[in-house]
Amino acid sequence: VIGPVTEKTFTVMMPTGHFDAEITAATPAGSTVATDKKSASIVYGGSYTFTVTPDPGYDVAVYVNGAKLTATGNSYTVTSVTGPQRVEVVESAIPNYNVTFTVPLSGQTFTQSVTRGGNASKPGVDPEREGYTFAGWYTETEYKKENGTQFSFTTEKITEDTVLYGKLTPKTYKIQYNLNGASGTAPADQLKTHGLAVQLSTDVPTREGYTFLGWGTTATATAASYQPGDMYSVDGNITLY
């Protein structure tokens, strides 16, 4: 005598840890998911889907009966269930890396801790140095280039200890010449870089009946401050007369 066939089922239990694991679906009919989504009963040959969401600062690897599963987002699916099910979630803390900000021309240095794969935060205050303009943060390679590419705090991920260099560029000043009644064409404007001396124009203005004494710093100066070809080291815009 053959008795009635009882459909075979297998129990699936979700593990606990630094993550949230939930069973979201079970098929076919006859398979059931517990109200708290932490366990399910799967009929022979059926399938189930579950999610594993790691806590902040953690990575997870998911295994069923010793075989590692590949996630779609944070979702995993097991099909053709024909035996007992053992779900294992191996968790690991995501390491932090140091992002060191350094400004070679001012000596400023500070460090920021960033989770692997995260974004560094752009400092809220730009470095300052008298006579210089801040030109952004760069990796070492880009910092050394004349026209390097700035580090992107929105797109570049931190995957190792990183040093970012703050670039300070010297300001430039304009030296203008005013003939102040002399004839001819005034010498061309010159640019002076902060902290560096520049040679003044060697041109000598002329005016009939007058002797050129040199360049003064005001239109009414009675004595010259500079001679043609002198080295000029004052930082700031100026007009010479």
Side-chain angles (χ1 to χ4, degrees):
V1 177
I2 299 176
V5 176
T6 301
E7 190 169 39
K8 191 169 187 178
T9 61
F10 302 96
T11 299
V12 180
M13 301 288 294
M14 291 290 100
T16 60
H18 290 98
F19 53 86
D20 181 39
E22 293 184 341
I23 301 172
T24 57
T27 59
S31 298
T32 58
V33 178
T35 302
D36 64 1
K37 299 182 179 182
K38 301 302 180 183
S39 64
S41 179
I42 311 299
V43 300
Y44 186 91
S47 64
Y48 60 97
T49 298
F50 62 99
T51 60
V52 178
T53 305
D55 292 346
Y58 285 85
D59 274 339
V60 294
V62 178
Y63 299 81
V64 173
N65 295 340
K68 187 175 182 179
L69 301 188
T70 300
T72 301
N74 66 338
S75 181
Y76 305 81
T77 298
V78 179
T79 61
S80 302
V81 175
T82 59
Q85 299 293 289
R86 180 172 60 87
V87 178
E88 181 184 10
V89 178
V90 178
E91 60 186 42
S92 58
I94 299 174
N96 284 355
Y97 293 110
N98 288 328
V99 178
T100 301
F101 296 83
T102 183
V103 187
L105 287 180
S106 69
Q108 295 167 279
T109 299
F110 56 94
T111 301
Q112 185 181 110
S113 181
V114 180
T115 301
R116 185 193 65 201
N119 295 102
S121 297
K122 183 178 181 180
V125 178
D126 291 338
E128 294 182 346
R129 182 181 177 182
E130 185 178 357
Y132 288 79
T133 300
F134 180 64
W137 295 102
Y138 299 78
T139 61
E140 182 177 12
T141 299
E142 295 300 316
Y143 178 80
K144 291 179 178 179
K145 295 179 181 177
E146 184 175 352
N147 295 300
T149 301
Q150 289 192 39
F151 180 84
S152 173
F153 289 92
T154 57
T155 62
E156 297 195 55
K157 304 298 182 182
I158 301 302
T159 58
E160 60 184 351
D161 287 338
T162 302
V163 178
L164 297 178
Y165 295 82
K167 182 172 288 188
L168 292 170
T169 57
K171 294 180 179 179
T172 57
Y173 310 103
K174 183 180 288 187
I175 301 173
Q176 295 178 296
Y177 297 88
N178 186 315
L179 293 182
N180 202 22
S183 58
T185 302
D189 294 348
Q190 292 178 271
L191 290 180
K192 181 199 176 300
T193 300
H194 182 87
L196 298 178
V198 63
Q199 185 180 27
L200 296 177
S201 171
T202 57
D203 293 351
V204 178
T206 60
R207 181 179 180 183
E208 187 175 353
Y210 288 82
T211 299
F212 180 69
L213 300 178
W215 295 104
T217 56
T218 67
T220 57
T222 57
S225 298
Y226 303 97
Q227 294 299 316
D230 277 357
M231 299 303 293
Y232 181 79
S233 59
V234 179
D235 290 319
N237 297 320
I238 192 170
T239 298
L240 297 178
Y241 300 85

